[in-house]
Amino acid sequence: MIRLGMVGGGQGAFIGAVHRIAARIDGRFQLVAGALSANPERALASAKQLHISPERSYSDFKQMAIEEAKREDGIQAVTIVTPNHMHYPAAKAFLEQGIHVICDKPMTSSLADALELAQIAKRSEVMFVLTHNYSAYPMVRQARAMVENGDLGNIRVIQAEYAQDWLTEASELGDNKQAQWRTDPKRSGPAGCLGDIGTHAYHLARFISGLKLEKVSADLTSFVEGRQLDDNVHSMLRFEKGAKGMLWSSQVAPGNENGLKVRIYGDKGGLSWEQESPNRLVFDKFGSAQQILTRGGHGYTGSEHLVRIPAGHPEGYLEGFANLYNEIADGIEACATGKLASDVLNDSLLPTVSDGVDGLEFIQAILDSSEADGRWTSLGGA
Amino acid sequence: MIRLGMVGGGQGAFIGAVHRIAARIDGRFQLVAGALSANPERALASAKQLHISPERSYSDFKQMAIEEAKREDGIQAVTIVTPNHMHYPAAKAFLEQGIHVICDKPMTSSLADALELAQIAKRSEVMFVLTHNYSAYPMVRQARAMVENGDLGNIRVIQAEYAQDWLTEASELGDNKQAQWRTDPKRSGPAGCLGDIGTHAYHLARFISGLKLEKVSADLTSFVEGRQLDDNVHSMLRFEKGAKGMLWSSQVAPGNENGLKVRIYGDKGGLSWEQESPNRLVFDKFGSAQQILTRGGHGYTGSEHLVRIPAGHPEGYLEGFANLYNEIADGIEACATGKLASDVLNDSLLPTVSDGVDGLEFIQAILDSSEADGRWTSLGGA
Amino acid sequence: MIRLGMVGGGQGAFIGAVHRIAARIDGRFQLVAGALSANPERALASAKQLHISPERSYSDFKQMAIEEAKREDGIQAVTIVTPNHMHYPAAKAFLEQGIHVICDKPMTSSLADALELAQIAKRSEVMFVLTHNYSAYPMVRQARAMVENGDLGNIRVIQAEYAQDWLTEASELGDNKQAQWRTDPKRSGPAGCLGDIGTHAYHLARFISGLKLEKVSADLTSFVEGRQLDDNVHSMLRFEKGAKGMLWSSQVAPGNENGLKVRIYGDKGGLSWEQESPNRLVFDKFGSAQQILTRGGHGYTGSEHLVRIPAGHPEGYLEGFANLYNEIADGIEACATGKLASDVLNDSLLPTVSDGVDGLEFIQAILDSSEADGRWTSLGGA
Amino acid sequence: MIRLGMVGGGQGAFIGAVHRIAARIDGRFQLVAGALSANPERALASAKQLHISPERSYSDFKQMAIEEAKREDGIQAVTIVTPNHMHYPAAKAFLEQGIHVICDKPMTSSLADALELAQIAKRSEVMFVLTHNYSAYPMVRQARAMVENGDLGNIRVIQAEYAQDWLTEASELGDNKQAQWRTDPKRSGPAGCLGDIGTHAYHLARFISGLKLEKVSADLTSFVEGRQLDDNVHSMLRFEKGAKGMLWSSQVAPGNENGLKVRIYGDKGGLSWEQESPNRLVFDKFGSAQQILTRGGHGYTGSEHLVRIPAGHPEGYLEGFANLYNEIADGIEACATGKLASDVLNDSLLPTVSDGVDGLEFIQAILDSSEADGRWTSLGGA
């Protein structure tokens, strides 16, 4: 069992619990330490609930990194699930102690932090994994493999969207903590819906297509009165090799629960995948009848390690997330046998620090373009 | 029975046959004259097939307009289903003879023609109806009524798309006549996919939302090598009252047959309608379970005259089209009793010359914006 | 144009209007005579509305048959759309005058009538067509062809169902005329839901599979208090060649509008078709990914004459019905050139008098089995 | 953490791994002992893989029950995931040692065993839980609550089905171990598809409707040549209070992966749930538009403890299964505080020994009815 720690994710948090389930599903991690809250009492209460022994409940993640690094039975990896602005210092602390880092997205709340973190990660001898969990759904992996295999031919059009409705009203004014920090620039950075879910859609488009995004033209809006961050993102995309796309993300679209969808079209075929029906992948070879591919089903050509149960027995969001943890466990074990962390990551499909930088560049380009009334803006400030 | 003529729509044409079926479905029109082709022999052969008597088969629509206007039993209305560039002169000829005009979209191949035609139509004492057929699907009408009724609250976001795949390859180089004229600037005007289907998506967004589009930012592409007109349209939209949107239309998206879809979100609810499942309308009142409304079903609040057969017995594209003809027949009968054509049109939901101008303004603004690398461009050249 | 008459289908009727639209869609029939109601005034008023000249509006179908047979311009075919118990005498009258008969289903209200009518039809020199309209949907035809072609291998299991909800409450006690006659044994015969829609499901199962049904075991219920005829049919089926099946039909299943569905499984593959999405056919070749076949789409191998408009432009119930009329028109024209009616029918896929007898045998066997507490009962009383 | 043991589920088994994941997801169980295989070496190897210490790896479950009962840190509960015929002796062994039993379905391979086990379980002071996992999906629970609440009115019709395709060919002749024991009467008992999946569909129909099944009429078939057990079940059902139903289960229906579906109709409304889209429940209140209810979504009225992640983030089969384990953990903790096991079970919705007996009575009645050519046969031999 791999010894895991966690920063953030105390009582009342959402994504922390998700990471814990994901880490448990395949039985390869044991949560043994945590700085679950900046509030020591809350940290301790949360730790107790999670069977973490009191002496390994920290209220300061820096102290945690130092102490755990000293222990014989110290944590081998840490999961960071704080609000965005704390990702950078927390990741830095653990990387510098040679502890593998699993970090929620977006990687940081600013591009500057992201670039710096990338340097730190590259200098370190451990893995930094960014949990773009949607990329580990089996049918997303199959989609990527099919594109790579040429099943779609040359990619022309990429339509990505991620729509939700939970911020349709100003719920941040009530006691919804999720709404509060996600609409607060101090904790989320300058991007609202864009950073929270737009980056997922962007990552997925890029992950499946294998194409680098070159330029964006964007129109951000805050529809809810008084909201400080965007709650709707409209953007047009220009990828390398002449591919074009659109990306819509919204948290004010009533009826959309978690509507992440990616469609990719090339000169030989098209693919469509929707997160709410994750076990299906729709494939159209131009000139042939539509095919419905399913996880583990007839026609599934994806990795067997992503399939726990037979076709028709739905695996969902948590299993998709757990696929990342499973591959991280493989990676940690490989590192333990002396393999270089950078080689391990290169050989995997795990999202890492360069995806994180790329995500922040995307955010920055969208923010800049929208500010400039939609001017086409290059990623990476070029 | 209303006596109907037709210009265009000879053997091998697509949309002409559609109009004829639509006109027949409710048994209120009889096709008695035609200039079905510019080629006299082809015109005559087509006429014969359609039980039009030879003396009322014309090869010149101007002559047809004049001759029919003279006859006691002359046509009361004419349907124009030529390639786009002929819409203007043909419509002009019949309007000037006091014959009601039913015209396929886009109304003309240039904005200048559209504006001129609008003047002619307004001076005339007959009806000019533009066949934006999708607006006459019962659930589209119900969607419009629900928006008008405030069921969605203030509209914030409009996502429109119209994707097909039939021009994925350069089929205009083969003997596909539909592909030939639709990709030929001489016959289609300067817009390809944009004029052919983008205008339908635009009209529908506007028809349902009731909102005027103010500005567009666009990125047009011709993906197929050698193609002279756009085959993919990406655009961002700004409507009046702060609503925003996106419109994607494509004819190179494999797997999409006739994927016209409109989604509208307000601060109280959302609607989604897809042309390929036209008898359903998805409605989400924010905070409540999703509702599936069906034509003629429990919860249908639309017009009874749009429902020929009970819920669950699918009515399709042809019946949607026939709804327009049915309302046109009502209009012609009303005019025949002395009502003013302009009043008849105002009291109806039929698309007319101002929709046609609006469509051409949309086309022009998209073309201009794309030419200007996506600069936000006002409709109507303002 | 083929001259058509109609018996039944006056004002307020449902299926008569459907037949008229179906006959009009492809422009090959003209309705010129009718005995639209037994009530002369209502007959006349209905005729007027339908542009039938008064002297060809009859109140007695026998007289109509005789008169029309005498006329030079007499009808060539008649459509019978009365309640079930009148099908037999009406069909007899016209067959005996050498006029082609198009008859709604079930063919008669008793098996005895059906057998007699079969004799009369066989003796006549004209066509008798039973409007099992669902069999003329393009994807149903493709399904049949695929079975015939061996794409499913040997058929093992057939699951047929037809569920509606419109008789959930005792609407026959109100002023719903459709409910009144369909739940009245005097007008419908001894079968309620069974005859009204169960026979459609049965016909379709047989039509697609090509298999003869040998035995049934059934359980009929009238759930609504006071209802005289069954409103729910449960049955198990044994076909020739060892295939087995189930058939459920119900008019008391809330949420089901017109839920006709047939699924067929063989040792090499399976098919599924649903009437409410009629343009799709789901095909599973065992061991391969699921395929979605569409009318006119990539992978469509059906007849071109069943496709009026391109894939993605939905054709519906009325077009499916019109397909029958179109093939009837072909048949009438073939007969007019001297071909034998029986040969014409044999060369077609049109349902005819033997399908009608078969349907009544099915009804009788189900009634008998249910009466005998589910005893397996042979069709045809064997 | 609750100390858990397992009988069966060694390397290569399917359902054992599922139970282990389900037990892990919410972090309340720790697997500490096992008789994972009757083969000692295989048992040991499997134990090692699962971090079970060698001294707690047993090859004999009787010995395991005795040894574990003696230990201070002995298991509190055991999961039995052997082939069916071993359920009875294994359950007996642990119940008699006062260890809670979690047993896969069907409970036993014969009704006699089931009745005896029921006696043993009732005499014991511990819980016996049967893992009819589908009953713990949140939307299934909501369906049950809605029926109980009267939302459907009086139940009339229940349509249950469970179709798969994985036994379409004689895969038991190859090296498919799942296929081998599931088609082998010695290990599965006299029911094939019926016991394997038919019982799930039956349990679900009963669980949601709350109605007792009184009689069945059945037709079992083994379609694959040489197969000794049924691979297709057709049956008609008569429930108490006049409700009727049908149940189809098949493992030879190509294209069906894990097609468990239950539809229930009453005089006020209808419900439909499909296992492959488990987060949705379709509800039709008669006379109103259809509603789509979702786990955790607007309109969800189910238990919060069944919802780990927000609506739109799909939870699947494993989480449904884990819901049972979570409730079992609650139960074990309650028993540990002195509550009676029987009271704990009565207060829960967990399937237990009486469901097991009921399932075997169902199997027996179906077998008897089919043997008697479909004679209506009472459950419980009455």
Side-chain angles (χ1 to χ4, degrees):
Chain A
M1 299 280 271
I2 293 163
R3 297 179 303 279
L4 183 68
M6 180 168 276
V7 177
Q11 290 166 340
F14 156 59
I15 201 70
V18 166
H19 278 260
R20 288 191 295 265
I21 297 176
R24 272 198 300 262
I25 281 181
D26 295 307
R28 301 177 68 181
F29 289 89
Q30 190 164 15
L31 185 66
V32 295
L36 302 169
S37 170
N39 173 323
E41 277 162 41
R42 224 169 126 243
L44 198 62
S46 300
K48 197 176 162 192
Q49 234 178 9
L50 297 168
H51 308 294
I52 295 175
S53 64
E55 84 272 14
R56 296 178 82 175
S57 169
Y58 307 85
S59 53
D60 174 358
F61 60 75
K62 284 180 199 162
Q63 189 202 349
M64 174 177 164
I66 293 167
E67 299 288 332
E68 289 291 325
K70 287 185 201 157
R71 295 178 71 111
E72 190 96 340
D73 66 347
I75 57 172
Q76 297 161 273
V78 69
T79 290
I80 298 170
V81 285
T82 60
N84 306 343
H85 67 306
M86 299 303 291
H87 291 178
Y88 169 70
K92 184 168 184 284
F94 289 89
L95 288 172
E96 290 178 349
Q97 295 296 335
I99 293 169
H100 300 294
V101 169
I102 302 162
C103 181
D104 212 65
K105 50 52 47 197
M107 188 163 78
T108 58
S109 57
S110 76
L111 178 52
D113 281 1
L115 291 168
E116 212 161 318
L117 185 53
Q119 292 311 314
I120 297 166
K122 278 168 195 169
R123 279 198 307 269
S124 82
E125 295 186 346
V126 288
M127 299 196 301
F128 177 95
V129 177
L130 193 68
T131 48
H132 273 301
N133 57 296
Y134 297 110
S135 69
Y137 269 117
M139 301 318 290
V140 167
R141 292 286 181 88
Q142 177 157 351
R144 178 188 162 99
M146 291 176 75
V147 170
E148 207 165 29
N149 189 45
D151 293 350
L152 271 64
N154 296 314
I155 303 303
R156 290 168 167 172
V157 176
I158 300 175
Q159 300 294 111
E161 63 183 55
Y162 197 156
Q164 299 180 331
D165 70 0
W166 68 290
L167 292 176
T168 292
E169 296 179 350
S171 45
E172 63 266 39
L173 301 183
D175 61 355
N176 185 330
K177 287 191 181 166
Q178 292 298 321
Q180 284 164 8
W181 79 259
R182 286 171 204 263
T183 59
D184 176 2
K186 291 201 202 80
R187 286 176 281 175
S188 277
C193 170
L194 171 60
D196 193 23
I197 60 175
T199 49
H200 272 309
Y202 165 61
H203 182 265
L204 212 54
R206 198 161 151 19
F207 181 82
I208 299 176
S209 71
L211 292 178
K212 214 180 134 170
L213 179 61
E214 293 182 338
K215 288 188 175 187
V216 299
S217 167
D219 194 20
L220 297 180
T221 316
S222 296
F223 279 108
V224 172
E225 218 186 300
R227 184 164 288 161
Q228 296 182 65
L229 295 175
D230 65 274
D231 51 25
N232 190 80
V233 180
H234 281 153
S235 62
M236 301 193 293
L237 313 173
R238 289 181 183 163
F239 292 86
E240 61 177 332
K241 299 183 189 168
K244 304 239 180 141
M246 292 177 100
L247 185 148
W248 170 50
S249 78
S250 183
Q251 294 180 316
V252 296
N256 289 279
E257 294 185 335
N258 200 41
L260 172 60
K261 180 175 181 180
V262 177
R263 292 174 286 180
I264 303 195
Y265 303 103
D267 56 11
K268 290 192 182 159
L271 280 176
S272 172
W273 181 80
E274 300 190 40
Q275 191 271 155
E276 298 193 8
S277 298
N279 296 292
R280 286 163 50 103
L281 175 65
V282 179
F283 172 54
D284 289 273
K285 181 178 161 152
F286 183 65
S288 298
Q290 185 167 85
Q291 288 189 300
I292 310 297
L293 306 169
T294 58
R295 179 191 49 83
H298 308 303
Y300 180 68
T301 58
S303 302
E304 278 315 307
H305 82 277
L306 303 172
V307 179
R308 289 168 189 80
I309 45 177
H313 298 71
E315 296 195 42
Y317 177 92
L318 294 168
E319 287 77 23
F321 219 117
N323 290 338
L324 282 187
Y325 270 89
N326 216 349
E327 296 179 343
I328 291 166
D330 289 344
I332 291 172
E333 290 172 2
C335 290
T337 67
K339 226 177 154 184
L340 283 181
S342 54
D343 289 351
V344 168
L345 290 174
N346 283 341
D347 291 352
S348 79
L349 290 174
L350 290 166
T352 182
V353 78
S354 59
D355 296 274
V357 169
D358 188 55
L360 268 296
E361 285 179 350
F362 169 73
I363 288 175
Q364 193 58 52
I366 292 278
L367 290 168
D368 290 349
S369 173
S370 185
E371 188 69 24
D373 205 29
R375 192 187 54 211
W376 282 101
T377 302
S378 297
L379 262 72
Chain B
M1 299 282 269
I2 293 162
R3 298 179 302 278
L4 182 69
M6 181 169 276
V7 177
Q11 291 164 338
F14 156 59
I15 202 69
V18 167
H19 278 261
R20 288 192 295 265
I21 296 176
R24 274 199 299 261
I25 281 181
D26 295 307
R28 301 178 67 180
F29 289 88
Q30 193 164 15
L31 185 66
V32 295
L36 302 169
S37 170
N39 172 324
E41 276 162 42
R42 222 166 127 246
L44 199 62
S46 300
K48 196 176 163 194
Q49 231 178 9
L50 297 168
H51 310 291
I52 293 174
S53 63
E55 84 271 16
R56 296 178 80 176
S57 169
Y58 306 86
S59 53
D60 173 359
F61 60 74
K62 284 181 199 161
Q63 187 202 350
M64 173 177 165
I66 293 166
E67 297 291 332
E68 288 292 325
K70 284 187 202 153
R71 295 177 71 109
E72 190 97 341
D73 65 350
I75 57 171
Q76 298 160 273
V78 71
T79 290
I80 298 169
V81 285
T82 60
N84 305 342
H85 68 306
M86 300 302 290
H87 290 179
Y88 169 72
K92 184 168 183 284
F94 289 90
L95 286 173
E96 289 177 351
Q97 294 296 336
I99 292 168
H100 300 292
V101 169
I102 301 162
C103 182
D104 212 64
K105 50 52 44 199
M107 188 164 77
T108 58
S109 57
S110 76
L111 178 52
D113 281 1
L115 291 168
E116 212 161 319
L117 185 55
Q119 292 310 314
I120 297 166
K122 278 170 195 168
R123 277 198 310 268
S124 84
E125 294 184 347
V126 290
M127 298 195 302
F128 177 95
V129 177
L130 193 69
T131 49
H132 272 303
N133 57 296
Y134 298 110
S135 69
Y137 268 118
M139 301 319 289
V140 167
R141 292 287 182 88
Q142 177 158 349
R144 178 189 162 100
M146 290 175 77
V147 170
E148 205 164 32
N149 189 45
D151 293 351
L152 271 63
N154 296 313
I155 302 303
R156 290 169 167 172
V157 176
I158 300 175
Q159 300 294 110
E161 63 182 55
Y162 198 155
Q164 299 180 330
D165 71 359
W166 68 291
L167 293 176
T168 292
E169 296 179 348
S171 45
E172 63 266 39
L173 301 182
D175 62 355
N176 184 329
K177 288 193 179 164
Q178 292 298 323
Q180 285 165 6
W181 79 259
R182 286 172 205 264
T183 59
D184 176 2
K186 293 204 200 79
R187 286 176 282 175
S188 276
C193 170
L194 170 61
D196 193 22
I197 61 175
T199 48
H200 271 310
Y202 165 60
H203 183 265
L204 211 54
R206 199 163 149 19
F207 181 82
I208 299 176
S209 72
L211 292 178
K212 214 180 136 171
L213 179 61
E214 293 182 338
K215 289 187 174 188
V216 299
S217 167
D219 193 20
L220 297 180
T221 316
S222 297
F223 279 107
V224 172
E225 220 186 300
R227 184 163 289 160
Q228 298 182 66
L229 295 176
D230 65 275
D231 50 25
N232 191 80
V233 179
H234 282 152
S235 62
M236 302 192 291
L237 313 173
R238 290 182 183 162
F239 291 87
E240 60 176 335
K241 299 182 189 169
K244 306 239 178 139
M246 293 177 100
L247 187 149
W248 170 50
S249 77
S250 184
Q251 295 179 316
V252 295
N256 290 279
E257 295 185 333
N258 200 39
L260 172 59
K261 180 175 180 181
V262 177
R263 292 175 286 179
I264 303 195
Y265 303 103
D267 55 12
K268 290 191 182 160
L271 280 176
S272 173
W273 181 80
E274 300 189 41
Q275 192 272 152
E276 297 192 10
S277 297
N279 296 291
R280 285 164 51 103
L281 175 65
V282 178
F283 172 54
D284 288 274
K285 180 176 161 155
F286 183 67
S288 299
Q290 184 167 85
Q291 289 189 299
I292 310 298
L293 306 168
T294 58
R295 178 192 49 82
H298 308 304
Y300 180 67
T301 58
S303 301
E304 279 315 308
H305 83 277
L306 303 173
V307 179
R308 290 168 188 80
I309 45 177
H313 298 71
E315 296 193 43
Y317 178 91
L318 294 167
E319 288 77 22
F321 218 118
N323 289 338
L324 282 187
Y325 270 89
N326 216 349
E327 295 179 344
I328 292 167
D330 290 343
I332 292 172
E333 289 173 2
C335 289
T337 67
K339 226 175 153 186
L340 284 180
S342 54
D343 290 349
V344 166
L345 289 174
N346 284 339
D347 292 351
S348 80
L349 290 174
L350 290 166
T352 182
V353 80
S354 58
D355 296 275
V357 169
D358 187 56
L360 268 296
E361 285 179 349
F362 168 74
I363 289 174
Q364 194 58 52
I366 292 275
L367 291 168
D368 291 348
S369 172
S370 184
E371 187 69 24
D373 203 28
R375 192 186 55 211
W376 282 101
T377 303
S378 296
L379 263 72
Chain C
M1 299 281 271
I2 292 162
R3 297 179 303 278
L4 182 69
M6 181 168 276
V7 177
Q11 291 165 339
F14 156 59
I15 201 69
V18 167
H19 278 260
R20 289 191 294 265
I21 296 175
R24 273 200 299 263
I25 281 181
D26 295 308
R28 302 177 66 180
F29 289 89
Q30 189 163 18
L31 185 66
V32 295
L36 301 169
S37 169
N39 172 322
E41 276 161 42
R42 223 168 124 243
L44 198 63
S46 300
K48 197 176 162 194
Q49 231 177 10
L50 297 168
H51 309 293
I52 295 174
S53 65
E55 85 273 14
R56 296 178 80 175
S57 168
Y58 307 85
S59 53
D60 174 359
F61 61 74
K62 285 181 197 160
Q63 188 202 347
M64 174 177 164
I66 293 167
E67 298 291 332
E68 289 292 325
K70 285 185 203 157
R71 296 178 70 110
E72 189 96 343
D73 66 349
I75 57 172
Q76 296 161 273
V78 70
T79 291
I80 298 170
V81 284
T82 61
N84 305 343
H85 67 305
M86 299 301 291
H87 291 178
Y88 169 71
K92 184 170 185 282
F94 288 90
L95 287 172
E96 289 178 350
Q97 295 297 335
I99 292 169
H100 300 294
V101 169
I102 302 160
C103 182
D104 211 65
K105 48 54 44 198
M107 188 164 78
T108 58
S109 57
S110 76
L111 178 53
D113 281 2
L115 291 167
E116 214 161 317
L117 185 54
Q119 292 310 314
I120 297 167
K122 277 168 195 167
R123 280 199 307 269
S124 83
E125 294 185 345
V126 290
M127 299 196 300
F128 177 96
V129 177
L130 193 68
T131 48
H132 272 303
N133 57 296
Y134 297 110
S135 69
Y137 268 117
M139 300 318 289
V140 167
R141 292 287 182 87
Q142 176 158 350
R144 178 188 162 100
M146 290 175 77
V147 170
E148 207 165 29
N149 188 43
D151 293 349
L152 271 64
N154 295 314
I155 303 302
R156 290 167 167 174
V157 176
I158 301 175
Q159 299 294 111
E161 63 183 55
Y162 197 155
Q164 299 180 331
D165 70 0
W166 68 289
L167 292 176
T168 292
E169 296 179 348
S171 45
E172 63 267 40
L173 301 182
D175 61 355
N176 184 329
K177 287 192 181 164
Q178 292 297 322
Q180 284 165 7
W181 81 257
R182 286 173 204 262
T183 59
D184 176 3
K186 293 200 202 80
R187 287 176 281 176
S188 278
C193 169
L194 171 61
D196 193 23
I197 60 176
T199 48
H200 271 308
Y202 166 61
H203 183 265
L204 210 54
R206 198 161 151 18
F207 181 82
I208 299 175
S209 71
L211 292 178
K212 213 181 136 169
L213 179 60
E214 293 182 340
K215 289 187 174 188
V216 299
S217 168
D219 193 19
L220 297 180
T221 316
S222 296
F223 279 108
V224 172
E225 220 187 299
R227 184 163 289 162
Q228 297 183 66
L229 295 176
D230 66 273
D231 51 25
N232 191 80
V233 179
H234 282 154
S235 62
M236 302 191 293
L237 314 173
R238 289 181 183 163
F239 292 86
E240 61 177 333
K241 301 182 189 170
K244 305 240 179 140
M246 294 177 100
L247 185 148
W248 171 49
S249 78
S250 184
Q251 294 179 317
V252 296
N256 289 279
E257 294 184 336
N258 200 39
L260 172 59
K261 180 175 180 179
V262 177
R263 292 173 288 180
I264 304 194
Y265 303 103
D267 56 11
K268 291 193 183 159
L271 279 176
S272 173
W273 181 81
E274 301 189 41
Q275 193 271 154
E276 298 192 9
S277 297
N279 296 293
R280 285 163 51 102
L281 175 65
V282 178
F283 171 54
D284 289 272
K285 181 177 162 152
F286 183 65
S288 298
Q290 185 166 85
Q291 288 189 299
I292 309 297
L293 306 168
T294 59
R295 178 191 50 83
H298 308 302
Y300 180 68
T301 58
S303 302
E304 279 314 307
H305 82 277
L306 304 172
V307 179
R308 290 168 188 81
I309 45 177
H313 298 70
E315 295 195 42
Y317 178 92
L318 294 168
E319 288 77 23
F321 219 118
N323 290 338
L324 282 187
Y325 270 88
N326 215 350
E327 295 179 343
I328 291 167
D330 290 344
I332 291 172
E333 289 173 2
C335 290
T337 67
K339 225 175 153 185
L340 283 182
S342 55
D343 290 350
V344 167
L345 288 175
N346 284 340
D347 292 352
S348 80
L349 290 174
L350 290 167
T352 181
V353 79
S354 60
D355 296 275
V357 169
D358 187 56
L360 268 296
E361 285 180 349
F362 168 73
I363 288 174
Q364 194 58 53
I366 292 277
L367 290 168
D368 291 350
S369 172
S370 185
E371 188 69 24
D373 205 28
R375 194 186 53 211
W376 282 101
T377 303
S378 296
L379 262 72
Chain D
M1 299 281 270
I2 294 162
R3 298 178 302 277
L4 183 69
M6 181 169 276
V7 177
Q11 291 165 339
F14 155 59
I15 201 70
V18 166
H19 278 261
R20 287 192 295 266
I21 296 176
R24 274 200 299 261
I25 281 181
D26 295 307
R28 302 178 67 181
F29 289 89
Q30 191 164 15
L31 185 66
V32 294
L36 302 169
S37 170
N39 173 322
E41 276 161 43
R42 224 170 122 242
L44 199 62
S46 301
K48 197 177 161 193
Q49 232 177 11
L50 297 168
H51 310 292
I52 294 174
S53 64
E55 84 272 14
R56 297 178 80 174
S57 170
Y58 308 86
S59 53
D60 174 358
F61 59 76
K62 283 181 198 160
Q63 189 204 347
M64 172 177 164
I66 292 165
E67 298 289 332
E68 288 292 323
K70 283 186 202 155
R71 295 177 70 110
E72 188 96 342
D73 66 348
I75 57 170
Q76 297 160 274
V78 70
T79 290
I80 299 169
V81 286
T82 60
N84 304 342
H85 68 305
M86 299 302 290
H87 290 179
Y88 169 72
K92 185 168 183 283
F94 288 89
L95 287 172
E96 289 178 350
Q97 294 296 336
I99 293 168
H100 301 292
V101 169
I102 302 161
C103 183
D104 212 65
K105 49 52 47 197
M107 188 164 77
T108 57
S109 58
S110 77
L111 178 52
D113 281 1
L115 291 168
E116 212 162 316
L117 185 54
Q119 292 310 312
I120 297 165
K122 278 169 194 167
R123 277 198 310 269
S124 83
E125 294 184 347
V126 291
M127 299 195 301
F128 177 94
V129 177
L130 193 69
T131 49
H132 273 302
N133 58 294
Y134 298 110
S135 68
Y137 268 119
M139 301 318 290
V140 167
R141 292 286 182 88
Q142 177 157 350
R144 178 188 162 98
M146 290 175 76
V147 170
E148 206 165 31
N149 188 44
D151 293 350
L152 271 63
N154 296 313
I155 303 303
R156 292 167 166 173
V157 176
I158 300 175
Q159 300 295 110
E161 62 183 55
Y162 198 155
Q164 299 179 330
D165 71 2
W166 68 290
L167 292 176
T168 292
E169 297 179 348
S171 45
E172 63 267 40
L173 301 183
D175 61 356
N176 183 331
K177 288 194 180 162
Q178 292 299 322
Q180 285 165 6
W181 80 258
R182 286 173 205 263
T183 60
D184 176 2
K186 292 202 202 80
R187 287 177 281 176
S188 276
C193 170
L194 171 61
D196 193 23
I197 60 175
T199 49
H200 271 309
Y202 165 60
H203 183 266
L204 210 54
R206 200 163 149 18
F207 181 82
I208 299 176
S209 71
L211 293 177
K212 213 180 136 171
L213 179 61
E214 292 182 339
K215 289 187 173 187
V216 300
S217 168
D219 194 19
L220 298 180
T221 315
S222 297
F223 279 108
V224 172
E225 220 186 301
R227 184 164 289 162
Q228 298 182 65
L229 295 175
D230 65 273
D231 51 24
N232 191 81
V233 180
H234 282 152
S235 63
M236 302 192 292
L237 314 173
R238 289 181 184 164
F239 292 87
E240 60 177 333
K241 300 183 189 168
K244 305 238 180 141
M246 294 178 100
L247 186 148
W248 170 50
S249 77
S250 184
Q251 294 179 315
V252 295
N256 290 279
E257 295 185 332
N258 199 40
L260 171 59
K261 180 175 180 180
V262 177
R263 292 175 286 179
I264 303 194
Y265 303 103
D267 56 12
K268 290 193 183 157
L271 280 176
S272 173
W273 181 80
E274 300 189 42
Q275 192 272 152
E276 296 192 9
S277 297
N279 296 292
R280 284 164 51 104
L281 175 64
V282 178
F283 172 54
D284 288 273
K285 181 177 162 154
F286 182 65
S288 298
Q290 184 166 84
Q291 289 189 300
I292 309 297
L293 306 168
T294 58
R295 178 190 50 82
H298 308 303
Y300 179 68
T301 59
S303 301
E304 279 314 308
H305 82 278
L306 304 172
V307 179
R308 289 168 188 79
I309 44 177
H313 298 70
E315 295 194 42
Y317 178 91
L318 294 168
E319 288 77 22
F321 219 117
N323 290 337
L324 282 187
Y325 270 89
N326 215 349
E327 295 178 344
I328 291 167
D330 290 343
I332 291 173
E333 289 173 1
C335 289
T337 67
K339 226 175 154 184
L340 285 180
S342 54
D343 289 351
V344 167
L345 289 175
N346 284 339
D347 291 352
S348 81
L349 291 174
L350 290 167
T352 181
V353 79
S354 58
D355 296 276
V357 170
D358 188 56
L360 268 297
E361 286 180 349
F362 168 75
I363 288 175
Q364 195 57 54
I366 293 276
L367 290 168
D368 291 349
S369 172
S370 185
E371 188 69 24
D373 205 26
R375 191 186 58 209
W376 282 101
T377 302
S378 296
L379 263 73

